[in-house]
């Protein structure tokens, strides 16, 4: 699957006055596209897209109307933190009543159906002005990954996308979906294969889809079963492996700290220092001195 991009969206971001501050274009994300920008007032109609559209309002209040000129027209005075949800494969007529800072997240439909599991296919609801604190934090998290992008964060970005899909299925679908059954953990064979791959690719981006395929599972199934087995989501476990390897190299060798950082999947020496301080309460130099 190729990168999800502007061509997979419904066209709001292609309006001539939209100038994104940052987007996920070029990062290789195949299920999620993220863009942060300042929008101007407009009224327009857009064709159906293959992706679901989730918009987080960063300021406000501002009036938004959808279904303009139809029997289903809605109008809301939306505050900061308000969410706008447009399902895939549905046309959109919308009016934005004032200037607005937004984060747009576009999610491939297969990510949503994957999250639905045995309950697929599902259809998401059309929402205007809904409020979901968890979804808001996930959207801000994706924007933060774009802002501070490092290739080693690929697994984390995939995990955030999977969590967005799961939250949409549980709380923002058209109709009710039963709660998923508690996940059983990965088998010994699956876990060993995944852990070996993580260890081999510490210095590389590790897409969640690669780990899931190795275990013979969908991304959503893999994430749940991995956490049931380890108590950690995949990106946190991978970070722990990177920290462990860096600590071993620092204590037992004399290679430059910057070289060790890159070898263990950190963007640079300062990145390694920040993580070690947060995870272990120490620094690379102090670990080296401890022997």
């Amino acid at each position: 699957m190729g990168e999800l991009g502007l061509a997979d969206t419904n066209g709001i971001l292609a309006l001539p006055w939209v100038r994104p501050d940052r987007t996920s274009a070029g990062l290789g994300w195949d299920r999620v596209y993220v863009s942060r920008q300042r929008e101007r007032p407009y009224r327009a109609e857009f064709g159906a897209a293959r992706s679901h559209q989730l918009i987080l309002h960063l300021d406000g209040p501002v009036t938004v109307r959808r279904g303009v000129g139809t029997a289903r027209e809605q109008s809301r005075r939306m505050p900061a933190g308000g969410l706008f949800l447009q399902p895939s494969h549905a046309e959109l007529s919308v009016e934005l009543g004032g200037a607005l800072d937004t984060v747009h997240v576009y999610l491939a439909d297969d990510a949503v159906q994957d999250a639905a599991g045995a309950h697929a296919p599902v259809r998401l609801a059309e929402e205007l002005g809904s409020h979901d604190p968890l979804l808001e934090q996930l959207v801000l998290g994706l924007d933060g990954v774009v802002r501070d992008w490092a290739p080693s964060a690929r697994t984390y970005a995939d995990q955030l996308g999977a969590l967005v899909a799961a939250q949409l299925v549980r709380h923002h679908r058209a109709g009710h979906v039963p709660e998923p059954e508690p996940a059983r953990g990965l088998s010994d064979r699956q876990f060993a294969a995944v852990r070996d791959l993580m260890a081999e690719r510490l210095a590389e981006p590790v897409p969640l889809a690669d780990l899931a395929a190795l275990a013979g599972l969908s991304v959503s199934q893999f994430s749940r079963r991995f956490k049931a087995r380890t108590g950690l989501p995949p990106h946190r476990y991978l970070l722990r492996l990177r920290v462990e390897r860096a600590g071993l190299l620092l204590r037992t060798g004399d290679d430059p700290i910057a070289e060790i950082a890159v070898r263990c999947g950190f963007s640079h020496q300062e990145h390694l220092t920040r993580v070690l301080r947060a995870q272990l309460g120490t620094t690379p130099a102090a670990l080296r001195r401890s022997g």
Side-chain angles (χ1 to χ4, degrees):
M1 184 185 299
E3 180 182 63
L4 196 72
L6 191 60
D8 301 295
T9 70
N10 58 15
I12 289 180
L13 297 180
L15 292 171
W17 56 84
V18 175
R19 297 287 187 271
D21 297 327
R22 51 182 171 266
T23 77
S24 60
L27 303 184
W29 298 3
D30 56 2
R31 287 186 162 198
V32 180
Y33 179 75
V34 178
S35 179
R36 178 171 177 150
Q37 56 282 308
R38 181 72 171 173
E39 298 186 47
R40 288 165 42 186
Y42 70 88
R43 177 176 175 176
E45 297 180 357
F46 303 96
R50 293 180 294 173
S51 58
H52 303 276
Q53 177 191 39
L54 179 64
I55 302 175
L56 172 64
H57 287 214
L58 297 175
D59 55 13
V62 65
T63 299
V64 180
R65 293 198 298 158
R66 74 182 301 161
V68 180
T70 73
R72 300 175 60 206
E73 181 173 321
Q74 295 177 286
S75 179
R76 294 286 187 277
R77 185 76 171 159
M78 292 176 58
L83 294 168
F84 179 104
L85 178 60
Q86 173 70 10
S88 66
H89 304 99
E91 295 181 348
L92 173 64
S93 174
V94 65
E95 179 180 281
L96 176 63
L100 181 68
D101 288 316
T102 59
V103 178
H104 285 217
V105 173
Y106 295 85
L107 192 67
D109 185 57
D110 63 346
V112 170
Q113 304 308 326
D114 180 8
H119 306 299
V122 300
R123 180 164 179 78
L124 298 183
E126 293 183 358
E127 295 186 2
L128 177 63
S130 54
H131 183 63
D132 184 327
L134 175 56
L135 206 50
E136 178 181 353
Q137 290 306 308
L138 292 172
V139 170
L140 293 174
L142 281 166
D143 179 51
V145 172
V146 175
R147 182 192 61 225
D148 303 322
W149 175 246
S152 60
R154 175 60 192 272
T155 314
Y156 180 47
D158 288 346
Q159 183 71 30
L160 287 174
L163 290 172
V164 168
Q167 184 71 357
L168 289 173
V169 167
R170 291 192 189 104
H171 299 291
H172 300 271
R173 64 164 289 181
H176 172 69
V177 62
E179 285 295 318
E181 296 181 2
R184 63 179 185 273
L186 296 176
S187 69
D188 290 346
R189 179 189 60 79
Q190 288 172 317
F191 178 65
V194 167
R195 192 185 189 286
D196 287 348
L197 180 63
M198 285 180 168
E200 290 169 8
R201 296 175 60 179
L202 286 183
E204 306 171 28
V206 185
L208 204 53
D210 290 3
L211 300 174
L214 188 62
L217 300 168
S218 71
V219 169
S220 180
Q221 289 173 323
F222 172 75
S223 296
R224 291 195 298 269
R225 293 191 186 185
F226 188 94
K227 187 171 183 180
R229 171 72 189 241
T230 67
L232 294 171
H235 73 276
R236 297 292 299 178
Y237 190 88
L238 178 59
L239 180 62
R240 189 170 78 177
L241 291 182
R242 286 171 168 154
V243 168
E244 289 175 352
R245 178 72 61 84
L248 177 64
L249 294 175
L250 287 165
R251 288 191 299 268
T252 60
D254 56 5
D255 290 334
I257 294 175
E259 181 181 317
I260 290 173
V262 173
R263 196 188 308 170
C264 294
F266 299 96
S267 303
H268 40 67
Q269 181 173 333
E270 178 54 30
H271 184 199
L272 172 61
T273 300
R274 289 200 309 269
V275 171
L276 288 184
R277 187 173 284 121
Q279 296 282 323
L280 304 178
T282 189
T283 65
L287 269 180
R288 170 154 285 171
R289 288 194 299 269
S290 72

